[in-house]
Amino acid sequence: MPREIALGDALVPGLLLVFIGSMLLLWGLDWLAGRYGLYRYVWHPSLVRIAAFICVFGSLGLLLF
Amino acid sequence: MSMTDTGTPLPASRRVVVDTLHEEAGTWLFVFKTLLAFYITGWLAMRLSLPAPTSAMLTTIIVASRQTGMVLAKSFYRAIGTLGGALVAVLIVAAFPQEREWFLVAMSLWLGICAGGATFFRNFKAYAFVLGGYTAAIVGLPVIDHPPAIFDSAVARLSEVLLGLLVSGVVSDVVFPSKMRDVLRRTARDQFAHFITFVQGATGGSIPREQLERAHLRFVRDAVALEDLRSSVIFEDAEARARSGHMELYNQRFMASSTTFQSLHHLINRLARAGRKASAQALIQLYAPIGTALAAPIEAGTAAKIFLPRLVQARKAMQANAPVLRESMADTTDRRDFDTGAALQLRFIDELYDFVDAAAALQAPQLTGGVAERMRFVRGNDVAGALLATTRTTVTMLLLGVFWIESAWPVGSGAMLLATVFAALFAVTPNAASVTSSVLLGYVLGVAMGFACVFFVLTRMDGYGLLVAGTAPFMIVCVVMMIRPSLASSGLGAAIGFVNVVGLQNPMVFDPVSLINNGMAQIVGVGAAAVAFLLVPPAIGSIWLRRRQLERLRRQVALAAEAPLPGLRQRFESVNHDLFSQVVAQTQQGSADSRALIAWALAVHETGRAMIELRLAMSGLDMTISTQRIMDDAVQALARFYEQPDAKRYLLARDAVATAIAATSEAEHTCVLLDNLHLIRLALLDGESVLAAYMPQMPNPEEIAHAP
Amino acid sequence: MKLASLARLVVTVLVVLLAVLIGHALWKHYMYSPWTRDGRVRAEVVRIAPDVAGLVSEVKVLDNQVVKKGDLLFVIDRARYLNAVAQAEANLAAAEASARAAGASINAASAGANQTKVNYDNYAAQSERRQKLINNVISAEDRANAQAAANAAHAAWQQAQASTRQAGAGQQQALAAVTQAQVELAAAQLNLDRTEVRAPVDGYVTNLDIRVGDYASTGTPRLALIDSHSYWIYGYFEETKLPTVRVGDKVDIRLLAGGARLTGTVESIARGITDADNPTGADLLSDVNPTFNWVRLAQRVPVRVKIDADHLPAGTVLAAGMTATLIVHPAPAR
């Protein structure tokens, strides 16, 4: 994964794309969790959501760079 | 997660204290969260060395709200608007580099279009338009003299705003979130309980018209409030998002059954007033099983499910009772009236069943299956009002631009920027002039505080911790003002003014002359926006717009008469509710205006709905061409009458409906249309309704009696 | 219920802890591991200026052309320098002729000296004979005359000897003039040679700013020649990342252009950058910024990275000024 990507002549850090990707991924996870009521099994849903996002983003970032 | 209050009841005096404390805690929690987001954003913006930490910090102030869902919804649309605005700014600058005049024309046009869009949509989507407008200005105006910087300017603005939104969103979602999901759930439950109780209470007999009007108002408000809540709650809660479709279905069914319910009661009222006691009484009797079916206590935690079997039973009982009651009447006219009412009642109980079913599905802990059909709450948006807003904003901006160019004011772009921002922010507020004036006052206060803070406090500060300590007291004042409803707009002005004037930078630049210059320019800009609103008031809330909306409401009948049938019922119901709630929100309660309006809304609602049902029934029938034409004529005559009501068209409509009734009663298989036609006719002849003004001079009470 | 809520709390805390760990790791990785997006390809550039002035008569290269060391780049009009050589050659010939003339005059002088010597010997013998005669045979006057004649002959011999020496010196002068003329010829020849401007290194012609007919003046650069063996990369590393960078560490280089991957080694680390906060004001006094950052930001320090030229991927085009991303792989601690 290149650390810097040219999108239409604008330099974009690769991590930004990972960030957007993780957002999309999390959105999917969030939809699943909402659909099947998984947030009932946690104490603070939004905290868990943020934490899950950091996990996804962090792992992807560490894996790809 | 039950909503029941498990605490023991408190003594009244203690309750007051507890409530006050609770409210205070809410205020200070808001202050804490806002400032937390504000300073985290500032730190991150400086750490990432963004060019203007101030605008990132300002973003957190602008989206600050008590409710997490509001923050997220605002942020979502703000992000979209900012992206669009930045893009447009790049395009405009690319199209007119170093052509200040054309640039300003294009920019004013874009701002106007955005103001128009905001007026058109009114809800959160409006926010995207507002932002799209002024982001373009913020990105484009500063680089007017050196166009190559546009790209950097756009990227910087984007990063700052997105950073602010991200931090605001995370802070408000994670730190003691105040969820609207509970409010939504409570609203839905209240709506359900209120409706069921109302229906159950109404089975005892007839309801006076006054009460029906009030009930209609309440139903409409409930439906619109639920839709408003839903559209912001889906941002904060995945579960709510997953149930969003069910929620929409629930709301649609609510609207449908409440309309039928009202039609039914208007019918009973009319019969009773016309002295047709027999049929009215029979209908009330027929109605009784619904009352018993709904006579279960509705408390929190009681599932709506329990009503389902009872409603099935009630329907059976009604079907069994109907022939008996019909036989008891000798007069054919009575029978005709009874048939109409009975059909309406059966439709009502079916819709009620669907409504309760939707409520039960919503209350179920696990969602079962998706929503078969997508229900949309269609808003009644007004094109003309949007065009007016477009014109007003464009002209204001052009005038300001001309003033700037002619006066060659060095800080003129700052003034123009602020004018743009506030003109856009308040373009959709009903009393924009007074709001902007109080913002102006707040802004002056904010600038003064900013001056004091920069030159007496910040000069002694070193490092981010002390920066926070130095600015927080001022910010707290602003934010506390923001949350007090009476001071909200002044508080917003003060906060924006303070942050703008302090202009935190890394490293800080202390320059009294430019600070005062900029402060003055910004105050002039806000003042210009206020003056613009004073001179060219926004369309929202004006008599002109209200009249237009009323016209639009009446034209709904034409929609019911002409629009393609699939999905029409939902479209009709939701646009009706939305328009009605808009006009209600903008009229004084109890005024002549308001009463006339409610009366029209009821008439439109009842007739329109009956026409849709009539058209639905017609679509399945094969009729002779002449009958078909007569039916079409009747529908058309009604539509024309509602479009432009006058006595002549009233007579035409009345006669056309009478002809249609005569034509349909001839053939056996077209008799199913009679119920709805009859209902429409009765509504037309109702002397108490708003249509009375168009009736021939001597309203003949026998008219109803002699109706075939 | 108690257990359920405890379980919910535990799940939440676990997820949050995991997030904190991963987030921290990513932050550390991204903020402190030695890598930078801010790398620039640099190269040594020779600014080619003509050594002699004159009209440009020929340009032998095109812009961006590859040249080998010694290749002809452009030519200054040779006519004037040819003339100069010819003139120098003529001067040399003249000097040589004078030298030869000087040699001849030495011979003449020495012949004259011999003649006067013979003369002198004659007179000296004559005088001696006369002195030996008994007094009356010859008058004292004659004796004195003979003596004087001998003395005069001696002086003439001496004079002739001096002339010989003078002629010798004249010859040396003429020889020196010859050498001078030779050197002038060499210089003229050098100038002539220098009308042909040649590449001092292997490399690429860049920014060729010279056309036939231009007047090229001495010492004004007319094109840049990029030394093709001299490419290196300056990576501007934040100071927070510097402690992990050591001279000799392997570096992964990714060019922005096509993402080509190169390798390299850390060659050296710059030992100074300007203090942006402290420019010199009037009267040589420093002009210190009176305010300090609210949030401190890291400065960037250049690190010189040598490109491993042997392992350039085929087809890689390096150009000075290109952007590169550098990732340093710190050598294990020794």
Side-chain angles (χ1 to χ4, degrees):
Chain A
M1 183 86 185
R3 300 218 175 193
E4 197 162 47
I5 292 165
L7 280 186
D9 290 346
L11 296 186
V12 176
L15 208 61
L16 183 68
L17 295 190
V18 175
F19 187 84
I20 292 169
S22 330
M23 287 275 244
L24 292 179
L25 197 66
L26 188 84
W27 183 68
L29 286 177
D30 193 44
W31 181 83
L32 276 180
R35 182 73 186 70
Y36 296 102
L38 298 183
Y39 282 129
R40 281 156 207 279
Y41 303 110
V42 296
W43 162 66
H44 190 327
S46 22
L47 189 62
V48 168
R49 187 160 37 177
I50 296 292
F53 173 75
I54 293 173
C55 287
V56 169
F57 175 54
S59 330
L60 280 181
L62 286 174
L63 272 178
L64 292 176
F65 288 100
Chain B
M1 274 192 260
S2 76
M3 295 291 306
T4 46
D5 189 6
T6 48
T8 48
L10 295 167
S13 59
R14 230 177 108 198
R15 178 169 284 278
V16 169
V17 172
V18 167
D19 283 353
T20 315
L21 280 182
H22 202 251
E23 205 188 308
E24 278 300 293
T27 304
W28 289 102
L29 184 63
F30 173 70
V31 171
F32 171 72
K33 281 167 71 173
T34 308
L35 291 191
L36 188 67
F38 181 76
Y39 287 116
I40 290 181
T41 305
W43 188 85
L44 278 173
M46 289 177 186
R47 179 72 182 76
L48 302 174
S49 51
L50 295 181
T54 306
S55 59
M57 295 166 94
L58 213 51
T59 303
T60 66
I61 295 289
I62 293 178
V63 297
S65 168
R66 262 180 212 261
Q67 306 288 358
T68 303
M70 295 281 281
V71 174
L72 295 180
K74 265 182 170 181
S75 301
F76 180 76
Y77 286 111
R78 200 179 160 92
I80 291 180
T82 305
L83 271 170
L87 205 67
V88 168
V90 171
L91 289 182
I92 291 181
V93 171
F96 307 108
Q98 296 180 338
E99 288 271 352
R100 189 160 65 163
E101 290 76 12
W102 284 109
F103 171 86
L104 284 179
V105 169
M107 190 58 89
S108 309
L109 213 60
W110 168 247
L111 284 169
I113 291 170
C114 286
T119 319
F120 187 71
F121 283 108
R122 289 177 297 118
N123 53 356
F124 288 120
K125 281 183 199 129
Y127 209 66
F129 278 94
V130 169
L131 260 291
Y134 83 68
T135 301
I138 287 177
V139 170
L141 283 180
V143 296
I144 194 163
D145 291 327
H146 38 106
I150 177 67
F151 188 74
D152 288 340
S153 171
V155 169
R157 174 76 195 161
L158 264 184
S159 350
E160 286 149 15
V161 169
L162 292 184
L163 176 73
L165 295 182
L166 201 67
V167 175
S168 288
V170 170
V171 167
S172 77
D173 196 25
V174 171
V175 183
F176 303 113
S178 148
K179 297 274 181 178
M180 274 200 297
R181 186 188 57 189
D182 300 334
V183 181
L184 174 70
R185 194 175 288 173
R186 208 160 47 233
T187 310
R189 264 176 212 279
D190 285 355
Q191 185 188 21
F192 181 74
H194 174 255
F195 184 61
I196 295 291
T197 323
F198 191 80
V199 170
Q200 202 241 324
T203 49
S206 62
I207 315 168
R209 192 180 167 84
E210 293 285 300
Q211 204 185 332
L212 265 183
E213 280 181 6
R214 267 204 310 278
H216 181 57
L217 203 60
R218 163 99 201 241
F219 293 154
V220 166
R221 282 202 180 126
D222 279 355
V224 175
L226 197 69
E227 170 60 18
D228 280 346
L229 271 174
R230 187 198 64 82
S231 63
S232 71
V233 168
I234 53 169
F235 283 97
E236 67 172 29
D237 191 76
E239 242 173 273
R241 192 154 51 243
R243 284 157 186 262
S244 168
H246 281 83
M247 192 56 104
E248 282 183 311
L249 184 70
Y250 167 79
N251 211 7
Q252 288 291 352
R253 288 182 174 168
F254 169 70
M255 291 191 285
S257 47
S258 71
T259 307
T260 313
F261 172 73
Q262 290 178 66
S263 300
L264 181 63
H265 276 273
H266 283 303
L267 177 70
I268 295 176
N269 284 357
R270 279 175 203 135
L271 291 176
R273 252 187 293 128
R276 313 216 52 97
K277 293 273 184 265
S279 51
Q281 213 47 53
L283 281 175
I284 290 173
Q285 269 183 38
L286 182 63
Y287 192 54
I290 300 183
T292 30
L294 297 180
I298 305 168
E299 281 169 6
T302 315
K305 253 196 319 235
I306 60 158
F307 290 117
L308 292 177
R310 304 174 71 147
L311 280 172
V312 174
Q313 270 182 352
R315 192 178 200 281
K316 276 189 194 139
M318 281 165 71
Q319 269 172 332
N321 290 348
V324 182
L325 285 166
R326 193 170 195 271
E327 288 311 315
S328 71
M329 279 173 285
D331 193 43
T332 48
T333 321
D334 276 347
R335 286 193 177 183
R336 181 67 260 147
D337 291 341
F338 176 77
D339 283 349
T340 306
L344 209 54
Q345 285 194 1
L346 283 182
R347 192 173 92 202
F348 172 60
I349 196 164
D350 287 344
E351 282 170 358
L352 190 64
Y353 181 87
D354 285 346
F355 168 63
V356 173
D357 187 42
L362 263 186
Q363 287 170 6
Q366 289 285 323
L367 278 184
T368 47
V371 186
E373 48 179 332
R374 190 93 176 84
M375 296 291 174
R376 282 244 164 255
F377 191 98
V378 184
R379 299 272 182 175
N381 296 326
D382 188 48
V383 179
L387 282 181
L388 182 79
T390 305
T391 320
R392 180 171 51 88
T393 312
T394 307
V395 169
T396 314
M397 288 303 125
L398 278 179
L399 285 179
L400 259 178
V402 168
F403 174 72
W404 174 29
I405 292 174
E406 288 300 314
S407 65
W409 192 14
V411 281
S413 71
M416 187 153 171
L417 213 66
L418 256 282
T420 314
V421 171
F422 282 100
L425 269 184
F426 297 117
V428 287
T429 322
N431 48 349
S434 72
V435 170
T436 321
S437 307
S438 47
V439 167
L440 180 63
L441 278 181
Y443 210 94
V444 174
L445 176 71
V447 169
M449 289 201 303
F451 186 85
C453 176
V454 169
F455 294 110
F456 299 112
V457 182
L458 283 191
T459 43
R460 290 146 205 260
M461 297 298 170
D462 191 12
Y464 201 74
L466 284 177
L467 168 75
V468 172
T471 47
F474 298 96
M475 284 306 298
I476 287 174
V477 172
C478 300
V479 177
V480 169
M481 275 168 75
M482 269 169 72
I483 204 164
R484 300 256 181 266
S486 54
L487 289 173
S489 25
S490 300
L492 187 67
I496 296 178
F498 178 76
V499 177
N500 256 337
V501 153
V502 171
L504 288 174
Q505 267 176 325
N506 196 32
M508 191 70 188
V509 177
F510 294 98
D511 182 356
V513 177
S514 81
L515 187 142
I516 292 171
N517 267 343
N518 284 328
M520 298 286 273
Q522 286 161 8
I523 290 174
V524 169
V526 182
V531 170
F533 279 124
L534 216 57
L535 293 181
V536 199
I540 289 184
S542 66
I543 298 170
W544 175 78
L545 188 72
R546 209 179 305 142
R547 200 170 297 144
R548 270 192 60 84
Q549 281 167 333
L550 186 57
E551 247 167 60
R552 212 155 159 233
L553 190 62
R554 284 203 304 261
R555 209 169 301 135
Q556 283 291 104
V557 175
L559 178 90
E562 284 153 7
L565 277 174
L568 180 60
R569 195 187 298 162
Q570 285 89 32
R571 194 170 146 203
F572 175 79
E573 291 278 1
S574 52
V575 172
N576 246 2
H577 278 69
D578 189 44
L579 272 177
F580 182 61
S581 72
Q582 269 183 59
V583 195
V584 164
Q586 292 157 14
T587 45
Q588 204 144 35
Q589 207 171 357
S591 66
D593 255 6
S594 166
R595 276 209 306 281
L597 186 79
I598 295 175
W600 267 114
L602 284 176
V604 165
H605 216 72
E606 192 182 357
T607 310
R609 183 69 199 283
M611 279 166 77
I612 292 174
E613 299 297 334
L614 179 68
R615 285 181 64 205
L616 278 172
M618 271 163 65
S619 66
L621 282 178
D622 58 339
M623 293 177 283
T624 57
I625 296 190
S626 61
T627 323
Q628 179 82 47
R629 186 175 305 141
I630 289 170
M631 294 301 299
D632 286 349
D633 281 350
V635 167
Q636 286 300 321
L638 277 167
R640 294 295 87 76
F641 167 63
Y642 270 94
E643 268 177 3
Q644 280 169 310
D646 60 19
K648 200 173 115 232
R649 289 199 182 82
Y650 174 78
L651 285 180
L652 279 176
R654 197 184 67 184
D655 295 347
V657 172
T659 320
I661 290 176
T664 45
S665 39
E666 280 165 14
E668 191 60 32
H669 69 285
T670 48
C671 275
V672 287
L673 301 178
L674 269 181
D675 295 337
N676 282 313
L677 277 174
H678 203 66
L679 195 64
I680 292 173
R681 176 159 175 81
L682 288 178
L684 265 180
L685 297 179
D686 186 352
E688 256 194 15
S689 80
V690 71
L691 305 183
Y694 305 103
M695 291 178 188
Q697 268 313 302
M698 295 278 283
N700 188 355
E702 261 68 36
E703 188 73 33
I704 294 174
H706 294 158
Chain C
M1 194 62 199
K2 201 83 180 157
L3 197 67
S5 58
L6 190 69
R8 291 208 310 239
L9 190 67
V10 167
V11 169
T12 306
V13 168
L14 278 184
V15 176
V16 170
L17 270 183
L18 190 66
V20 167
L21 286 179
I22 293 181
H24 183 243
L26 183 68
W27 175 264
K28 254 182 95 169
H29 182 70
Y30 205 76
M31 299 307 275
Y32 295 103
S33 75
W35 73 279
T36 180
R37 291 168 63 199
D38 191 6
R40 291 290 160 139
V41 176
R42 307 282 293 258
E44 278 160 11
V45 179
V46 185
R47 287 173 301 164
I48 306 284
D51 191 24
V52 291
L55 292 173
V56 176
S57 64
E58 263 182 288
V59 178
K60 285 291 200 183
V61 288
L62 300 173
D63 204 5
N64 302 328
Q65 184 183 328
V66 185
V67 291
K68 289 263 170 273
K69 183 173 178 178
D71 281 0
L72 185 57
L73 299 176
F74 60 92
V75 182
I76 306 281
D77 185 24
R78 300 166 62 99
R80 178 175 291 137
Y81 298 96
L82 280 172
N83 289 343
V85 170
Q87 165 118 44
E89 276 170 348
N91 284 349
L92 176 63
E96 279 168 351
S98 337
R100 278 195 298 277
S105 56
I106 291 175
N107 290 342
S110 102
N114 285 340
Q115 191 192 355
T116 48
K117 170 102 172 39
V118 172
N119 234 354
Y120 164 61
D121 287 346
N122 188 22
Y123 281 115
Q126 202 175 17
S127 170
E128 203 172 333
R129 271 192 319 272
R130 298 237 174 123
Q131 298 302 331
K132 278 176 189 162
L133 289 180
I134 315 305
N135 292 344
N136 303 335
V137 179
I138 194 161
S139 68
E141 190 182 354
D142 281 348
R143 251 195 330 253
N145 276 351
Q147 182 70 40
N151 282 351
H154 182 249
W157 176 52
Q158 298 253 302
Q159 189 185 8
Q161 270 184 329
S163 294
T164 311
R165 278 200 294 280
Q166 189 184 11
Q171 188 197 24
Q172 273 169 1
Q173 199 177 9
L175 283 177
V178 169
T179 316
Q180 201 177 3
Q182 276 170 343
V183 171
E184 270 169 15
L185 175 62
Q189 188 63 52
L190 183 68
N191 276 349
L192 181 62
D193 292 346
R194 288 288 165 88
T195 55
E196 293 182 337
V197 181
R198 287 173 188 282
V201 289
D202 295 350
Y204 307 94
V205 173
T206 316
N207 224 350
L208 181 71
D209 182 23
I210 188 163
R211 308 285 175 270
V212 172
D214 277 0
Y215 187 85
S217 41
T218 311
T220 313
R222 303 309 292 252
L223 64 94
L225 184 63
I226 298 169
D227 187 345
S228 54
H229 305 298
S230 70
Y231 282 96
W232 88 91
I233 294 186
Y234 251 156
Y236 303 102
F237 282 85
E238 280 158 348
E239 56 190 310
T240 47
K241 294 178 172 178
L242 273 191
T244 40
V245 179
R246 298 261 186 292
V247 173
D249 284 350
K250 289 277 167 228
V251 182
D252 264 350
I253 303 160
R254 263 168 230 176
L255 296 182
L256 185 62
R261 292 163 178 232
L262 285 58
T263 51
T265 43
V266 175
E267 200 171 37
S268 56
I269 298 170
R271 294 309 170 102
I273 53 170
T274 329
D275 181 359
D277 246 5
N278 191 10
T280 308
D283 296 337
L284 266 183
L285 303 180
S286 57
D287 176 14
V288 183
N289 196 342
T291 51
F292 188 62
N293 289 345
W294 299 117
V295 174
R296 285 197 300 184
L297 298 177
Q299 308 288 323
R300 284 176 186 266
V301 177
V303 170
R304 189 173 168 135
V305 173
K306 185 166 178 271
I307 299 177
D308 187 359
D310 302 336
H311 296 100
L312 276 189
T316 308
V317 176
L318 275 181
M322 275 180 155
T323 311
T325 302
L326 304 183
I327 304 155
V328 176
H329 298 293
R334 273 155 295 182

